[in-house]
Amino acid sequence: MSELLELSAAQAAERVHAGELKPAELFDFYRERATADELGSYLWVADEAASDTPADAPLGGVPLGVKDLFCVEGVPSAAASRILEGYKPPYTATAVERLVGAGAPVLGKTNMDEFAMGSSNENSGFGPVRNPWDTERVPGGSSGGSAAAVAAGSAPWAIGTDTGGSIRQPAALCGIVGLKPTYGAVSRYGMIAFASSLDQCGPLTRDTTDAALLFRHMIGRDKCDSTSLDYPHEVALPSAEKLDGVRFGIWGLEEEGVEPGVVDACRAAIAKIEELGGPVEQIELPHAG
C-alpha cells in the first residue's frame, strides 16, 4: 500500500474510478498515517465510519484534510483555540460540504495558528506544527497543519484559508501548491472569520492538477454568503504537455537571504517551464516604505 504515496490525489481518484482501488482502502491508508503523525499536523482524525463514499463520486473518495477554522457538523472545530475547545458545530461550512458531496470525505481537522493569527503555526493553543522537511523549522501559517500534512503524505490534499498569505506562505515553506482564490469564488460560510472581507478558502495540494480538481468542486454561488459569485467558467485541469499562452512571473530570486537550494530549485523549474513554452519574466514589486 506504500505505493499510494506515489499517487497524486487525481491519480488516486482515477484508480478508484477504474475499480483498481476501493475508497475505504484509500481512506484507511491515510487515516493510519494521520493518526501516526508526529508533526502536530492534526487536532482530530476521523474514524473508520467516515470512509463510506461512493466509488463513482467525482473526487473518488480521496480523503481531505480540513483546517480547524472550518465548521464541520458534529466534529470538534476550535480554530486551534482553547477558548473553543470541545465545540462541535451544528452545521458544516459550504466549501467542506461541497467537497464531501463530490466524494472527498473529511480525514481530519488540521492544526493552525489560533484563530488564524500567525504565520508560523507556533501559536496554536494545542502545540506547534513542524516542517516535515526539517522539524527544527516552521511550516508557515496559519494553515501550517494542512501544508505539513500534504507535504508529509499524511493527507493527499487539504484546504486552508488565506487572509494575508496563510495558504501561499505555508505552501511555499513546505514545497507544495497553494492557491488563494479570487474573492467571492468560494463561499466563506462556515469559516470562523479572522477578517471576513479578506478571508478566502483554497486548496493545498502536491501539484497544480490536484489544486484545480479540488478548486473545481469548491466554487460557486452560495445563498448563505452574499459575497459569493457564480464562477464564470469550468475550471480546466492544467496540461503537463504544454504551457503555451501561460505567463509566469518570478520575484525575489536574486535578493539577499535566498538560500542556494531554493535558487537552484527555482532555476530548474524555470528551465522546465520555458521548455514547455511558458514565458518567465523577472518582475519587480514595490517595497513598503
Side-chain angles (χ1 to χ4, degrees):
M1 293 294 283
S2 60
E3 69 180 27
L4 292 179
L5 283 178
E6 303 299 321
L7 301 176
S8 68
Q11 291 169 337
E14 288 175 0
R15 292 276 187 96
V16 172
H17 293 151
E20 300 171 4
L21 182 64
K22 294 181 180 179
E25 293 174 333
L26 188 61
F27 187 92
D28 290 343
F29 172 77
Y30 277 104
R31 182 185 181 278
E32 182 176 338
R33 292 187 61 83
T35 301
D37 170 76
E38 296 181 349
L39 299 170
S41 303
Y42 288 92
L43 298 179
W44 174 86
V45 178
D47 60 24
E48 292 87 341
S51 62
D52 186 17
T53 302
D56 60 352
L59 298 182
V62 180
L64 177 74
V66 175
K67 185 178 181 179
D68 201 36
L69 202 71
F70 292 90
C71 290
V72 177
E73 183 178 357
V75 168
S77 304
S81 175
R82 295 286 182 180
I83 296 171
L84 293 179
E85 186 174 7
Y87 172 60
K88 296 182 179 180
Y91 66 99
T92 297
T94 297
V96 177
E97 188 174 59
R98 286 177 174 172
L99 292 173
V100 171
V106 175
L107 172 65
K109 300 297 292 295
T110 56
N111 204 351
M112 54 180 280
D113 286 297
E114 184 174 7
F115 290 116
M117 190 65 178
S119 57
S120 64
N121 223 139
E122 296 173 292
N123 303 307
S124 167
F126 301 94
V129 179
R130 305 296 182 186
N131 192 308
W133 300 106
D134 182 347
T135 56
E136 297 300 313
R137 303 193 183 209
V138 300
S142 62
S143 305
S146 289
V150 172
S154 64
W157 51 14
I159 56 173
T161 60
D162 192 315
T163 301
S166 288
I167 288 175
R168 295 161 290 170
Q169 186 246 31
L173 267 61
C174 289
I176 62 172
V177 175
L179 170 68
K180 179 182 182 181
T182 300
Y183 188 81
V186 180
S187 171
R188 294 179 294 106
Y189 180 72
M191 288 165 47
I192 299 171
F194 171 36
S196 61
S197 61
L198 296 172
D199 296 342
Q200 284 294 279
C201 164
L204 293 113
T205 61
R206 297 185 193 178
D207 61 26
T208 54
T209 298
D210 284 356
L213 182 59
L214 206 58
F215 182 58
R216 174 187 284 181
H217 293 280
M218 298 162 60
I219 56 176
R221 183 85 174 87
D222 177 18
K223 65 181 181 180
C224 295
D225 179 1
S226 63
T227 67
S228 63
L229 301 169
D230 287 322
Y231 207 70
H233 53 76
E234 183 180 4
V235 177
L237 301 185
S239 170
E241 303 300 324
K242 63 179 183 176
L243 295 173
D244 297 350
V246 181
R247 181 180 173 211
F248 295 83
I250 187 166
W251 169 71
L253 191 58
E254 305 296 338
E255 291 198 358
E256 183 179 356
V258 180
E259 294 190 2
V262 174
V263 174
D264 292 343
C266 286
R267 293 201 184 284
I270 290 170
K272 184 63 175 178
I273 290 169
E274 290 176 335
E275 178 186 329
L276 294 173
V280 179
E281 61 185 73
Q282 187 84 15
I283 58 175
E284 294 185 8
L285 298 179
H287 290 276

